[in-house]
Amino acid sequence: MAVSIEINTPDDWHLHFRDGDFLKETVPATARCFQRAIVMPNLAPPVTTAAIATEYKARILAARPANSSFTPLMTLYLTNDTTAQDIRDAKQAGVVAVKLYPAGATTNSDAAVSDLSHLDPVFEALVEEGLLLLIHGEVTNHDVDIFDREKLFIDRYLRDITERFPALKIVFEHITTKEAVEFVSGSSENVAATITPQHLLLNRNDLLVGGVQPHNYCLPVLKRNIHQIALQEAVASGSKKFFLGTDSAPHEQHRKESACGCAGCYSAWGAIELYAEVFDSLGVLDQLEGFASHYGADFYNLPRNTTTITLVKESWEVPTSIVLPNGNNIVPFFAGKTLSWRLHS
Ligand code: DOR
Ligand code: ZN
């Protein structure tokens, strides 16, 4: 008999479904192992109002596999024009969080916030309405080295926001550095972070040694191995401040294998298995359930899932290519690599 573990059904607290035909691919891939997911609003044009979020949610629900009870949790995209009333309307519509992208930080972020100092009334409304602030924490100044952008965001903006709005619940998304781990660990219980599989499994050598590896390119970019180790230590510690967020972000193969390749790793088809691989290699498989299935729900003040999934220690190979409904391909994250934990269906 193969070794197996059973955990409460996990949730993905950060991912990108995109829209249109993509949903037929991305929604079933995530519903495969997750009960809920925080859906990022960086569509083009972005999800900036409650009405747009409600319509987008309906399209996601329509793309669920038959009999799936998967539940998307919707977010709004902050712009320079977002008002406190937008936040109140979002709450009414069941939106659970808003996403702050500094303008130009990543895919479809050009419409985002160019001056954070105007956001105070929005932050106050978030506290009043009990919505979370999700942050892509990188400065975007051209003169700042890409490997230093997360650390500088903490020093220039994030510490200040947490000090001025101590009651605001903040998720520092997809953290990639030792400094981010230290900042979150040293902050109040209202500050938490998501961590992706790629930042736990890889470091910048996996992006740049032996030729550029476009399928390992994401933002924030992979950092040096001391940062990877800090992230691994954070999840191994069992701290409730760190929880699962894949940042699964599909881009068609030709857009990644390009002279100007897109940022994003499409990890949905191996998501929970990739994390199991990490936790197993760190000797802390017993911490997987808290990270994947409990701490995120607790932080969002949502009930923990009561159903379970089973992972079996059985090797399988991540597919090398996935065909989209439009006929184009996606190369998934970890394509062609062997994983040692398989989701028991
Ligand atoms: O690598 C990334 N891809 N990072 C992000 O912040 C956005 C995402 C996307 O939308 O493709
Ligand atoms: Zn993301």
Side-chain angles (χ1 to χ4, degrees):
M1 267 268 291
V3 176
S4 69
I5 57 166
E6 187 177 329
I7 60 171
N8 278 140
T9 306
D11 303 300
D12 188 343
W13 299 99
H14 180 132
L15 59 60
H16 303 262
F17 277 147
R18 313 295 188 215
D19 206 349
D21 261 2
F22 264 81
L23 297 178
K24 295 199 197 86
E25 159 56 34
T26 55
V27 176
T30 286
R32 183 185 71 90
C33 63
F34 294 112
Q35 177 59 41
R36 295 170 289 199
I38 287 283
V39 180
M40 286 296 131
N42 63 331
L43 304 181
V47 180
T48 50
T49 65
I52 299 172
T54 303
E55 286 165 17
Y56 183 32
K57 182 175 183 177
R59 293 194 294 279
I60 295 168
L61 289 173
R64 288 186 306 185
N67 301 323
S68 168
S69 62
F70 170 78
T71 306
L73 302 170
M74 307 310 289
T75 63
L76 281 200
Y77 180 107
L78 292 183
T79 71
N80 292 329
D81 301 324
T82 307
T83 63
Q85 187 60 43
D86 290 326
I87 303 304
R88 291 190 280 272
D89 294 345
K91 172 71 177 188
Q92 285 297 313
V95 167
V96 298
V98 301
K99 180 71 187 280
L100 171 61
Y101 290 102
T106 189
T107 307
N108 297 340
S109 63
D110 296 346
V113 177
S114 56
D115 187 351
L116 271 67
S117 66
H118 294 161
L119 285 175
D120 285 10
V122 169
F123 293 163
E124 279 158 20
L126 291 174
V127 174
E128 277 161 26
E129 298 297 331
L131 264 63
L132 283 75
L133 175 64
L134 317 180
I135 301 185
H136 183 116
E138 289 191 286
V139 299
T140 53
N141 314 61
H142 194 68
D143 61 334
V144 177
D145 190 275
I146 191 166
F147 293 102
D148 298 334
R149 289 178 173 203
E150 185 173 276
K151 176 184 164 5
L152 246 83
F153 187 87
I154 300 171
D155 298 338
R156 285 192 190 165
Y157 302 107
L158 188 54
R159 185 170 292 108
D160 174 67
I161 299 172
T162 59
E163 284 170 4
R164 290 191 305 115
F165 296 91
L168 179 57
K169 282 201 150 183
I170 295 176
V171 184
F172 193 176
E173 297 289 347
H174 43 53
I175 59 167
T176 63
T177 57
K178 179 169 146 295
E179 288 82 7
V181 170
E182 286 164 1
F183 176 78
V184 171
S185 300
S187 296
S188 83
E189 62 181 13
N190 285 337
V191 180
T194 52
I195 305 185
T196 75
Q198 62 266 27
H199 292 104
L200 289 166
L201 286 160
L202 308 178
N203 60 61
R204 66 192 192 182
N205 281 359
D206 300 293
L207 178 65
L208 296 169
V209 173
V212 175
Q213 310 286 322
H215 300 292
N216 292 340
Y217 174 57
C218 64
L219 288 169
V221 73
L222 295 170
K223 305 297 191 296
R224 59 163 71 233
N225 72 339
I226 55 164
H227 298 290
Q228 179 192 8
I229 292 166
L231 297 172
Q232 292 174 346
E233 286 171 355
V235 301
S237 75
S239 163
K240 296 192 63 166
K241 285 173 157 283
F242 302 99
F243 47 83
L244 185 156
T246 60
D247 202 14
S248 182
H251 292 276
E252 292 176 1
Q253 180 170 9
H254 69 100
R255 294 191 187 279
K256 286 198 65 77
E257 297 175 11
S258 144
C260 185
C262 296
C265 299
Y266 184 51
S267 57
W269 283 109
I272 191 65
E273 299 89 337
L274 290 159
Y275 285 108
E277 196 88 12
V278 172
F279 280 70
D280 194 7
S281 72
L282 296 172
V284 292
L285 258 184
D286 57 325
Q287 303 285 7
L288 179 65
E289 185 177 42
F291 175 82
S293 316
H294 295 162
Y295 306 154
D298 296 351
F299 192 77
Y300 274 80
N301 264 327
L302 291 167
R304 293 179 179 183
N305 297 321
T306 50
T307 51
T308 62
I309 61 162
T310 301
L311 290 160
V312 184
K313 190 142 197 185
E314 230 171 58
S315 48
W316 64 288
E317 202 177 280
V318 179
T320 50
S321 183
I322 286 164
V323 183
L324 285 167
N326 69 4
N328 287 342
N329 291 331
I330 298 181
V331 176
F333 180 63
F334 247 52
K337 296 214 171 64
T338 300
L339 291 176
S340 50
W341 289 90
R342 179 198 277 280
L343 181 70
H344 188 263
S345 54

